[in-house]
Amino acid sequence: MEMENLNFNILASNVKLFTNISSDCLGSMLQCLGAKTVSYRKNEIILMIDDSIESLGIVLDGSVLISSEDFMGIRSIITVIEKYDIFAEAYVCANITKSPVTITALDNCRIMWLKFPRIIQTCNKACQFHSRLIENMMNLLAIKNYQMHQKLEILSKRTLREKILTYLHLNSVKMKSKTFNIPLSRNELADFLNADRAALSRELGKMKEEGIIDFSLNSFKILH
Amino acid sequence: MEMENLNFNILASNVKLFTNISSDCLGSMLQCLGAKTVSYRKNEIILMIDDSIESLGIVLDGSVLISSEDFMGIRSIITVIEKYDIFAEAYVCANITKSPVTITALDNCRIMWLKFPRIIQTCNKACQFHSRLIENMMNLLAIKNYQMHQKLEILSKRTLREKILTYLHLNSVKMKSKTFNIPLSRNELADFLNADRAALSRELGKMKEEGIIDFSLNSFKILH
DNA sequence: AATAGTCTGTTGCATTTGCAACAAACATAT
DNA sequence: ATATGTTTGTTGCAAATGCAACAGACTATT
């Protein structure tokens, strides 16, 4: 346990998994769940595909990238997990013990690992936070489900241009502005949209030329 | 309430949402959740996109198709829900009140609607099944999350042939046989893979010619 | 300053795919 | 029996996309 430098108030108010759990309880709860925080450097691999998983991760600092690779070595970027969000929760809740994905640090980051299955398997059900934690998890899984639906909405488009537009539109809605930055490089965006990087650049160029969007590096603007 | 012809034992043992809930409890629980069963004819629209949703559905008979449509009118098939499985659960758990999808009856079918949000909002938490139901739901959402991951795996392939192969492979694994039937027509499969029907037929023909697969109507065989 | 490495954009070319139109097989209704 | 509609397969053509190779801008290291 290395929680000397953890601020329970910040955790309780920012991590949605801990909604309605008082910061007083948090210490003992984290202990019960075998919490461990680990630091990783930028680009370090946090979890390799097929590694065993027994914990879910909470991003305390930085952000991480969830990706997979097919038998041809083609990388597919599934999503980016930002500060205070959690990852691998579906796997531990569905008892999937081998990771189907690779997880990489996008920046220097700090991850708290929670042996969440304990809450179901061995935890004394009398503890105060037990049912609250499960209810929060149910809610988070439902939301993540909805987010995956959005990703499916992008990939279900038949042309690259429509995929790009759907991706940019979702970002614009999320940022509540027609001007916004995206968290992915060109290469990463191509792997996220499952397209060729050159084709992506070409299509972005055409769209700029036609006055539909404007962009420079990671800064985008929807004009139309 | 129209549960005269419901067999609680069958429900309790087949519907995963009711795992570890005794059939004795089921009656009062269903009442508490405002259960209603409704019948639909083949091809009838069960729920239209943008309709309000306050209940999750349990398929008691038949099967239903979840799809969406973009602004161009292009249909995208998201998934098929089979007997005893549930649908719309992520929306009610994430408080999404307008349906992002259209739900259609694939056969004549019978659906039980449950006002699940009651369990969180107004239910007396002392009731026996409360926490069990939430834990089951957490588990189901995690599994569905994993299933969506598989769909993403299909759509993330860059060529139609790879999408087809991934789809057939997942079906083969699910059915534990190299020979199997698929639940989708050609038209539906095209909309599921988000491809053109003619292109799908062409590619299937090529693959048969090359000796990779064999098929006739809905019956497929992986040869390689 | 020089070097190596990374990221983005560009372009020619071959392949894949979407689109449209048509044909054959089959089912359904009158 | 006829007519109508649905499903599947086929094919020519145009457009989109992947692939490969290269160039310029930028960064980090020595």
Side-chain angles (χ1 to χ4, degrees):
Chain A
M1 301 288 291
E2 340 145 19
M3 27 180 97
E4 317 77 49
N5 45 5
L6 287 177
N7 183 323
F8 290 158
N9 283 317
I10 289 182
L11 278 186
S13 56
N14 285 293
V15 177
K16 291 206 178 103
L17 182 59
F18 301 147
T19 298
N20 287 324
I21 293 175
S22 81
S23 51
D24 302 338
C25 298
L26 218 49
S28 63
M29 190 186 89
L30 292 179
Q31 193 151 17
C32 168
L33 291 174
K36 272 198 183 121
T37 58
V38 183
S39 293
Y40 301 88
R41 275 156 315 176
K42 183 173 178 171
N43 294 327
E44 192 176 341
I45 290 178
I46 295 173
L47 197 82
M48 198 72 142
I49 194 164
D50 288 337
D51 279 358
S52 82
I53 22 173
E54 55 175 5
S55 301
L56 65 80
I58 303 173
V59 178
L60 299 181
D61 266 312
S63 59
V64 305
L65 186 121
I66 317 285
S67 64
S68 66
E69 216 168 277
D70 71 10
F71 67 100
M72 294 286 290
I74 303 272
R75 179 179 70 161
S76 168
I77 289 181
I78 298 162
T79 190
V80 175
I81 307 289
E82 310 275 5
K83 188 168 178 171
Y84 296 132
D85 211 349
I86 65 177
F87 59 88
E89 78 283 8
Y91 305 132
V92 301
C93 288
N95 285 319
I96 293 160
T97 53
K98 271 175 65 179
S99 177
V101 297
T102 295
I103 302 173
T104 319
L106 274 180
D107 323 290
N108 291 334
C109 64
R110 217 154 46 100
I111 306 295
M112 177 187 279
W113 295 101
L114 285 191
K115 295 195 166 70
F116 190 79
R118 283 193 193 173
I119 201 92
I120 304 161
Q121 288 153 7
T122 66
C123 173
N124 168 9
K125 303 221 172 183
C127 70
Q128 310 165 321
F129 48 81
H130 177 96
S131 64
R132 169 54 59 186
L133 208 52
I134 290 186
E135 194 170 324
N136 288 346
M137 180 59 88
M138 180 188 79
N139 205 244
L140 286 176
L141 283 170
I143 292 170
K144 197 148 274 190
N145 220 291
Y146 186 63
Q147 289 169 347
M148 286 177 90
H149 180 89
Q150 292 190 324
K151 169 99 200 225
L152 283 177
E153 208 173 291
I154 294 174
L155 291 194
S156 70
K157 296 292 181 277
R158 299 191 182 188
T159 67
L160 182 51
R161 174 171 294 204
E162 280 182 292
K163 284 179 188 159
I164 295 169
L165 281 173
T166 308
Y167 173 77
L168 293 179
H169 177 73
L170 286 174
N171 267 273
S172 167
V173 169
K174 190 176 166 191
M175 299 303 182
K176 291 174 185 158
S177 165
K178 292 277 185 189
T179 311
F180 50 88
N181 291 319
I182 64 170
L184 301 174
S185 69
R186 283 295 174 285
N187 218 327
E188 289 167 341
L189 181 56
D191 286 346
F192 182 83
L193 301 178
N194 299 111
D196 181 70
R197 186 190 60 79
L200 171 62
S201 274
R202 176 170 42 200
E203 196 62 32
L204 283 173
K206 275 192 210 166
M207 290 164 75
K208 184 193 266 186
E209 201 176 285
E210 293 175 30
I212 300 172
I213 61 169
D214 196 17
F215 65 91
S216 159
L217 294 176
N218 287 16
S219 163
F220 281 79
K221 184 170 192 169
I222 298 177
L223 296 173
H224 165 64
Chain B
M1 302 287 292
E2 340 146 19
M3 27 180 99
E4 317 77 50
N5 46 5
L6 286 177
N7 183 323
F8 290 158
N9 283 317
I10 289 182
L11 277 187
S13 56
N14 284 292
V15 177
K16 293 210 176 98
L17 181 60
F18 301 147
T19 298
N20 288 324
I21 293 175
S22 81
S23 50
D24 302 338
C25 297
L26 218 49
S28 62
M29 190 186 91
L30 292 179
Q31 192 152 17
C32 168
L33 290 174
K36 270 195 186 124
T37 58
V38 184
S39 293
Y40 301 87
R41 274 158 315 175
K42 182 171 178 172
N43 293 327
E44 192 175 343
I45 290 178
I46 296 173
L47 198 82
M48 196 74 140
I49 194 163
D50 288 337
D51 278 359
S52 82
I53 22 172
E54 54 175 5
S55 301
L56 64 80
I58 304 174
V59 178
L60 299 182
D61 266 312
S63 59
V64 304
L65 185 118
I66 317 285
S67 65
S68 66
E69 217 170 275
D70 71 9
F71 67 101
M72 296 285 291
I74 303 272
R75 178 179 72 161
S76 168
I77 288 182
I78 297 162
T79 189
V80 175
I81 308 288
E82 309 274 6
K83 188 168 178 173
Y84 296 132
D85 212 350
I86 64 177
F87 59 88
E89 78 284 7
Y91 306 132
V92 301
C93 288
N95 285 319
I96 292 159
T97 53
K98 272 175 64 179
S99 176
V101 297
T102 294
I103 301 173
T104 319
L106 275 181
D107 322 291
N108 291 335
C109 63
R110 216 153 48 99
I111 306 295
M112 176 186 280
W113 295 101
L114 286 191
K115 295 195 166 70
F116 191 79
R118 284 193 192 171
I119 201 95
I120 303 160
Q121 287 153 7
T122 66
C123 174
N124 167 9
K125 304 222 172 183
C127 70
Q128 309 165 323
F129 47 80
H130 177 95
S131 64
R132 169 54 59 184
L133 208 52
I134 290 186
E135 193 171 323
N136 287 347
M137 179 60 87
M138 180 187 79
N139 207 245
L140 285 176
L141 283 169
I143 291 169
K144 197 149 273 191
N145 220 291
Y146 185 62
Q147 289 169 348
M148 287 178 90
H149 180 88
Q150 292 190 325
K151 169 100 199 221
L152 283 177
E153 208 174 292
I154 294 173
L155 290 193
S156 70
K157 296 292 181 276
R158 298 190 183 189
T159 65
L160 182 51
R161 172 171 296 203
E162 279 183 292
K163 283 179 190 161
I164 295 169
L165 282 174
T166 307
Y167 173 77
L168 292 179
H169 177 73
L170 286 174
N171 267 274
S172 166
V173 168
K174 190 176 166 191
M175 300 303 182
K176 292 175 183 157
S177 165
K178 293 277 185 190
T179 310
F180 50 88
N181 291 318
I182 64 170
L184 301 175
S185 70
R186 285 292 176 285
N187 217 329
E188 289 167 341
L189 181 55
D191 286 347
F192 182 83
L193 300 178
N194 299 113
D196 181 69
R197 185 191 61 80
L200 171 63
S201 273
R202 176 169 44 201
E203 196 62 31
L204 283 173
K206 275 192 210 168
M207 289 163 75
K208 184 193 266 188
E209 200 177 286
E210 292 175 31
I212 300 171
I213 61 170
D214 195 17
F215 66 90
S216 160
L217 294 177
N218 287 16
S219 163
F220 281 79
K221 183 169 193 171
I222 298 178
L223 296 174
H224 163 64

